[in-house]
Amino acid sequence: MSFEFLAPHDVKPWDGNTPMQRSPIEWAHLDAGAKIGERAGWRVVSDYGAPDREQAACRTTVGVADLSCLGKFELQADQATVASIVSALAGDATPELGMTVGHESVWWCPVTAERVLAITAPERTREIRTALQEQASQAGFASVTEVTSALGSNSVIGPMAREAFARATALDMRPASFPERGFAPVSVARTPGMVLREEGDRFLHLFGAGYAQYNWTVFVDAAQRLGGRAVGMDALRATVTEGAPAGA
């Protein structure tokens, strides 16, 4: 069985034009006044008409940004093979359960010892897919599935990001319990999800794409009640540390 339909960056030109990739809830962003830009073949939200207020939310309260554009791959094999492949692509580092490895704009997130999720900036999606497939073919019994379209992803950023999550999950996200690079498969808003603490007060929430609108509504509502708001890529870029692995 082929899973090529899950690889949006391999979309074929139609009538001389290559369709742009987009968030499954782009319509909701447009309804909220979003201005759309482009990034690595994706239509992304630049801002919602208030870039200064969006940047302020990320720095002082909490901002929520749609990062559907991130590339996502699932690597599965026996524990030794997974460790070997990840080490080859992540600068000889091997992620431990509960922690990720960030290397050259890619997060390597261990869901189990035999299953690792790779999350990449959209500019490197094709490159990382090729590298994973080459390593898997050399290993023999290993599988690589692109899940970019199957998983939605939102950035939750700001000093009140934990409070936003506290309204939707029982995960202990205090710094002592959930350090930078921490990763947890966990129920969020009563749906299966995964949470990655990238650095500081910046978190990445991953979930089934079918729950994209629901999760967006839950977190934007929580952010607004905390004085924050939905934010676009421009605010995220202005806030995120330069060179951060997979965010803006």
Side-chain angles (χ1 to χ4, degrees):
M1 179 182 294
S2 172
F3 291 94
E4 293 302 307
F5 67 92
L6 293 175
H9 62 277
D10 278 346
V11 63
K12 306 300 181 185
W14 175 259
D15 197 24
N17 298 305
T18 300
M20 296 289 291
Q21 302 158 52
R22 61 187 68 202
S23 165
I25 57 168
E26 181 181 282
W27 59 270
H29 301 314
L30 292 172
D31 285 349
K35 296 179 180 178
I36 301 297
E38 296 183 9
R39 179 182 180 184
W42 283 81
R43 285 168 56 89
V44 298
V45 175
S46 297
D47 63 68
Y48 293 92
D52 291 343
R53 291 200 295 272
E54 292 170 38
Q55 289 184 35
C58 292
R59 294 191 172 107
T60 63
T61 54
V62 56
V64 184
D66 184 342
L67 287 183
S68 298
C69 61
L70 296 181
K72 310 170 194 79
F73 302 91
E74 187 174 87
L75 168 67
Q76 293 192 64
D78 63 79
Q79 183 174 350
T81 299
V82 165
S84 175
I85 291 174
V86 173
S87 178
L89 298 176
D92 295 326
T94 303
E96 302 175 0
L97 290 177
M99 298 293 292
T100 64
V101 169
H103 181 71
E104 296 182 347
S105 299
V106 183
W107 286 116
W108 301 92
C109 310
V111 182
T112 69
E114 295 81 25
R115 177 184 168 209
V116 168
L117 184 68
I119 308 169
T120 175
E123 292 81 4
R124 298 197 66 200
T125 298
R126 188 184 301 275
E127 173 193 349
I128 296 303
R129 180 187 181 190
T130 299
L132 273 167
Q133 289 175 332
E134 289 177 350
Q135 289 289 330
S137 65
Q138 295 172 16
F141 296 100
S143 70
V144 176
T145 304
E146 179 163 355
V147 291
T148 298
S149 296
L151 290 178
S153 44
N154 292 334
S155 179
V156 184
I157 180 172
M160 302 193 77
R162 291 177 183 81
E163 283 77 2
F165 273 103
R167 296 169 180 239
T169 182
L171 177 66
D172 185 351
M173 299 179 70
R174 291 174 297 177
S177 302
F178 201 57
E180 292 185 347
R181 300 188 300 107
F183 177 76
V186 64
S187 173
V188 179
R190 299 184 180 181
T191 61
M194 292 171 277
V195 179
L196 163 63
R197 182 183 174 196
E198 296 183 282
E199 66 175 16
D201 295 321
R202 188 172 90 252
F203 299 84
L204 185 66
H205 175 209
L206 299 121
F207 44 84
Y211 293 108
Q213 182 188 5
Y214 169 66
N215 277 295
W216 180 257
T217 301
V218 166
F219 275 87
V220 171
D221 179 70
Q224 291 173 340
R225 292 174 182 273
L226 292 166
R229 55 174 297 141
V231 303
M233 295 295 292
D234 291 350
L236 209 57
R237 287 194 183 99
T239 309
V240 171
T241 303
E242 186 69 25

